[in-house]
Amino acid sequence: MEKTIIINIGNTIIHIEESAYELLKIYLNEVKQHFVNHADDLEIVTDIENRIAELLTEHLTEEKKQVVDANNVNAVIAQMGRVQDFDGAEENEEEPVVNSNYQFHAEKKLYRDMDERVIAGVCSGIAHYINTEAKWIRLATLLTVFLGGAGVLVYAILWIIMPKAKSRIERMEMKGEPANLQGFQKNLDEELLAVNQGLAIAGKHTGSIFRQIGIFIGEFFEWLGRFIGGTGKVIFKVIAGFIIIFGILFLLALIISAAAFQGFWDSSVYEYFPFSIVNENSRGVILFSAFIVCFIPILALVLFSIRVAFNKQAINKTLSFALLIIWLAGVASAGYYAAKISSEFKQHAELTQSADLKSFKTYVIDIDKSKYFSKEDSIAYHIDANQSRQIVTDDFENGPFVSPNNVRINIEKSENSATRLTQKYESQGKTFSSALQNAQNIDYKYSLKDSAIVFSPRFQLRKGTIWRNQEVWLNLEVPVGTRIILKEDAYRYINNYGTWDCGETENDKNDYTVWVMTEDGLKCVAQLKEEAIKKNKLKQELLNLDFLKKNRATDTLYQDSLSNRIKEVKEELGIKVE
């Protein structure tokens, strides 16, 4: 029977026999005496005590007993090593020298090296773990950033999961140094050597500037992390509250919209763009898939916000996994139909037809503002066919739900002195034959009343035809000298440049502009008149300048000024200057 003592070593309560306590006390006194002259002696001794407490606890666990005896203490001392084993170092050395005779064989652990860090110590920590230089790891990281950016993501993940090497023991484990007296001595010598070398080369390398910038960035993100863990929690809870409110409102809007499209609205909604792109037999599936793709992420955001705001898990993992599967199925379905619809725009086809028109010296180009109605439209809008004087006009507005009806008009010079109107219908489809069929299903109307050509602003698609980027191009060829009167409503459809500028030049506030076909194309009559007047003025000025130059031949300075102006006038008139 032997007396036991309760001790506190390394913040660990241990029951120890009195004889074992005396051995441990003598050993710790030797350690304290050895490190007493070092600046970090208290930290070193504390780390050693923590390591001894850890080893004693391991012995008690392995032997399944509650009291430490002398054998356990001797075993721990053997593991840690005695001061006498390496206490032959010379005293009063100017620089600490690392003893290369120490044999270190310990398992390395992955830590972030905060002493050799540039940003967060990830690269230097990995370098210690795989026993290489940190510069090669940093170079590899930099290359991955430029080769695709994956390095940034990997670095950020490692920054999060890798712990910092804060204590001396953690730094020793990072370098693979055993946590015994020799290891502590070697670590201390390396630290002192690094400090002296750092002081010797301070200010000689510009790389230290970049390191300081990197350390600042790392410390900023460390502070940001602490802020998020403290004051930021309140801010995040407020933001989460707003997300919950608006997220629930958005979910309700999605449900109502889906119900409206599926049943509350009539089928005519699919006649409007962009719903007119979708085939009739796949509308329901696409609608449901789009609903799933939009609904589940918003629901997940709301549930996550509930967890952030109230520290409660809204749903269990099984339901979360089920929602993920449903969402992936919705994405797959929506992607399939999107690819299927996109394939129906793969081929392009054109259909052209021409008609010779009666030649007139003057043509009036106008746009028919009356709206085209089919028989079904007349019934739907309750229009009486017997009332021939009733006219419904189009407002020309292309709203967000109006199918693009691209009608463009080109007015060009005729090569054979004949007047001709060429209509070109374009469309797309999955195959050439389907694209050609879509082009043939375009119904476009225009009317010819004497010299007035009235074009329709839009084309119609025959019943059962869906939108496949149909377009109508009209090419009007007229002989040189033909006058064209463009009504204001036609300006937006004429593909020639300057239609609006011509009206500003005329400045007569009429609802039309007058043009003439020339050898160089369609020209505004008012602009031609301005050009003719300007040309006559320049010619008269040129005559006056020539007269002045002949009568004042003796004044050299004046002659040079006249010559320069004559040159400018000739250039404006298109006369070659010799």
Side-chain angles (χ1 to χ4, degrees):
M1 184 174 65
E2 188 171 353
K3 183 179 179 181
T4 61
I5 301 173
I6 300 175
I7 62 172
N8 183 349
I9 180 172
N11 293 323
T12 303
I13 303 300
I14 294 178
H15 293 265
I16 186 171
E17 293 179 355
E18 188 174 9
S19 58
Y21 170 74
E22 294 297 332
L23 289 174
L24 183 59
K25 183 178 179 181
I26 294 172
Y27 178 75
L28 288 175
N29 287 334
E30 292 176 356
V31 171
K32 292 177 182 178
Q33 186 64 30
H34 176 74
F35 291 104
V36 70
N37 293 325
H38 293 285
D40 297 332
D41 62 327
L42 182 60
E43 179 186 353
I44 296 172
V45 173
T46 301
D47 290 337
I48 292 174
E49 289 182 352
N50 291 335
R51 179 57 178 162
I52 291 174
E54 181 182 344
L55 293 175
L56 291 175
T57 303
E58 290 177 1
H59 280 282
L60 291 176
T61 303
E62 290 175 1
E63 298 178 10
K64 297 181 180 179
K65 60 181 184 179
Q66 299 179 351
V67 180
V68 173
D69 57 19
N71 292 332
N72 299 132
V73 173
N74 288 325
V76 169
I77 292 174
Q79 286 181 269
M80 295 293 295
R82 290 187 173 275
V83 174
Q84 295 84 351
D85 297 336
F86 60 94
D87 198 16
E90 297 181 1
E91 297 181 357
N92 299 323
E93 292 180 336
E94 294 182 359
E95 290 188 359
V97 179
V98 179
N99 192 341
S100 60
N101 295 325
Y102 299 154
Q103 300 298 322
F104 299 105
H105 301 285
E107 181 181 358
K108 291 184 179 181
K109 293 185 179 180
L110 190 59
Y111 288 99
R112 286 191 284 129
D113 187 357
M114 306 307 292
D115 296 327
E116 300 295 329
R117 62 175 173 163
V118 172
I119 296 178
V122 173
C123 294
S124 55
I126 295 175
H128 286 303
Y129 190 76
I130 63 176
N131 197 26
T132 187
E133 293 186 35
K135 63 181 180 181
W136 303 120
I137 306 297
R138 294 188 180 109
L139 179 61
T141 304
L142 189 63
L143 289 176
T144 57
V145 170
F146 288 111
L147 293 177
V152 177
L153 179 61
V154 174
Y155 191 93
I157 294 173
L158 292 175
W159 189 346
I160 295 172
I161 64 175
M162 285 176 61
K164 293 191 293 186
K166 297 179 180 178
S167 65
R168 188 180 301 274
I169 292 179
E170 289 174 344
R171 293 195 294 270
M172 293 168 65
E173 290 175 341
M174 176 182 67
K175 298 177 182 179
E177 300 173 352
N180 55 23
L181 293 187
Q182 289 185 346
F184 283 108
Q185 181 64 52
K186 179 177 181 294
N187 183 265
L188 182 62
D189 292 343
E190 288 177 344
E191 286 184 0
L192 294 176
L193 183 62
V195 169
N196 289 341
Q197 290 176 347
L199 292 175
I201 63 175
K204 293 183 179 180
H205 300 285
T206 57
S208 61
I209 298 175
F210 297 102
R211 180 178 177 183
Q212 291 299 324
I213 295 173
I215 291 175
F216 171 76
I217 295 173
E219 290 179 349
F220 170 76
F221 282 104
E222 294 285 347
W223 171 85
L224 184 62
R226 291 193 297 272
F227 174 78
I228 292 174
T231 309
K233 287 184 177 179
V234 179
I235 299 175
F236 286 143
K237 287 181 182 293
V238 174
I239 296 174
F242 281 105
I243 293 176
I244 293 170
I245 294 172
F246 288 104
I248 292 174
L249 293 176
F250 187 79
L251 292 176
L252 291 175
L254 278 177
I255 295 172
I256 294 172
S257 300
F261 276 107
Q262 194 64 24
F264 293 163
W265 289 1
D266 55 28
S267 60
S268 64
V269 68
Y270 294 104
E271 298 177 4
Y272 296 97
F273 187 83
F275 311 110
S276 57
I277 301 177
V278 182
N279 294 316
E280 185 176 358
N281 56 357
S282 59
R283 288 170 180 170
V285 179
I286 292 177
L287 176 64
F288 183 73
S289 300
F291 175 76
I292 292 298
V293 170
C294 297
F295 185 85
I296 291 182
I298 301 299
L299 177 62
L301 181 62
V302 170
L303 295 176
F304 176 76
S305 300
I306 291 174
R307 183 173 182 178
V308 171
F310 304 105
N311 296 324
K312 291 183 180 180
Q313 188 171 355
I315 56 175
N316 54 35
K317 292 183 179 179
T318 304
L319 183 56
S320 301
F321 185 74
L323 288 175
L324 177 61
I325 296 298
I326 295 172
W327 182 76
L328 291 175
V331 170
S333 176
Y336 168 77
Y337 281 101
K340 186 177 180 181
I341 292 174
S342 299
S343 68
E344 297 184 8
F345 290 81
K346 184 167 57 176
Q347 296 295 328
H348 178 83
E350 298 179 359
L351 179 64
T352 303
Q353 58 186 30
S354 300
D356 291 330
L357 304 181
K358 186 178 179 179
S359 296
F360 292 93
K361 292 183 178 180
T362 302
Y363 284 97
V364 179
I365 307 297
D366 199 1
I367 296 296
D368 184 8
K369 296 185 67 175
S370 61
K371 189 172 178 64
Y372 170 80
F373 281 102
S374 64
K375 182 179 180 180
E376 291 80 3
D377 293 331
S378 300
I379 296 173
Y381 289 101
H382 306 290
I383 297 175
D384 188 358
N386 297 322
Q387 299 292 332
S388 58
R389 295 184 178 180
Q390 291 182 348
I391 298 176
V392 179
T393 60
D394 196 344
D395 60 2
F396 291 93
E397 292 297 329
N398 292 320
F401 298 106
V402 176
S403 296
N405 286 322
N406 296 329
V407 176
R408 304 299 297 169
I409 303 171
N410 289 316
I411 302 177
E412 298 178 353
K413 181 184 71 173
S414 176
E415 300 297 338
N416 54 8
S417 299
T419 303
R420 179 186 298 271
L421 179 64
T422 303
Q423 303 175 66
K424 184 171 68 173
Y425 301 154
E426 298 183 6
S427 185
Q428 292 175 297
K430 189 172 185 179
T431 62
F432 177 78
S433 60
S434 63
L436 184 60
Q437 184 62 48
N438 291 331
Q440 291 173 335
N441 287 333
I442 296 175
D443 184 15
Y444 182 76
K445 298 183 182 297
Y446 72 94
S447 61
L448 182 61
K449 300 176 183 178
D450 295 331
S451 63
I453 306 176
V454 182
F455 293 102
S456 176
R458 293 195 178 99
F459 59 82
Q460 300 293 322
L461 296 178
R462 293 188 174 93
K463 190 173 182 180
T465 304
I466 55 180
W467 186 82
R468 288 297 177 263
N469 198 25
Q470 288 89 345
E471 293 183 348
V472 173
W473 289 86
L474 303 171
N475 192 45
L476 178 63
E477 299 177 18
V478 297
V480 174
T482 303
R483 291 168 68 88
I484 303 292
I485 298 177
L486 295 180
K487 292 289 188 176
E488 188 174 356
D489 289 336
Y491 289 175
R492 62 187 299 180
Y493 300 97
I494 302 299
N495 212 37
N496 302 75
Y497 295 105
T499 50
W500 298 96
D501 295 338
C502 184
E504 294 176 358
T505 304
E506 291 180 349
N507 196 26
D508 52 11
K509 307 301 181 182
N510 292 331
D511 64 344
Y512 64 89
T513 53
V514 182
W515 299 71
V516 64
M517 182 58 67
T518 67
E519 291 291 345
D520 297 327
L522 196 64
K523 300 289 185 180
C524 175
V525 171
Q527 291 175 347
L528 289 176
K529 289 180 179 179
E530 280 191 353
E531 291 175 2
I533 294 172
K534 182 179 179 181
K535 190 172 184 180
N536 290 331
K537 289 182 178 179
L538 290 173
K539 287 181 177 179
Q540 185 62 42
E541 184 182 357
L542 184 59
L543 292 174
N544 295 333
L545 291 171
D546 287 336
F547 178 78
L548 292 173
K549 187 175 182 180
K550 291 177 181 178
N551 291 329
R552 298 185 63 175
T554 58
D555 191 341
T556 306
L557 184 62
Y558 188 70
Q559 287 289 321
D560 291 340
S561 177
L562 289 175
S563 299
N564 291 333
R565 180 54 186 165
I566 290 173
K567 182 179 179 182
E568 292 176 359
V569 172
K570 285 184 176 181
E571 288 177 350
E572 290 187 43
L573 289 172
I575 300 174
K576 186 177 181 181
V577 181
E578 296 180 356

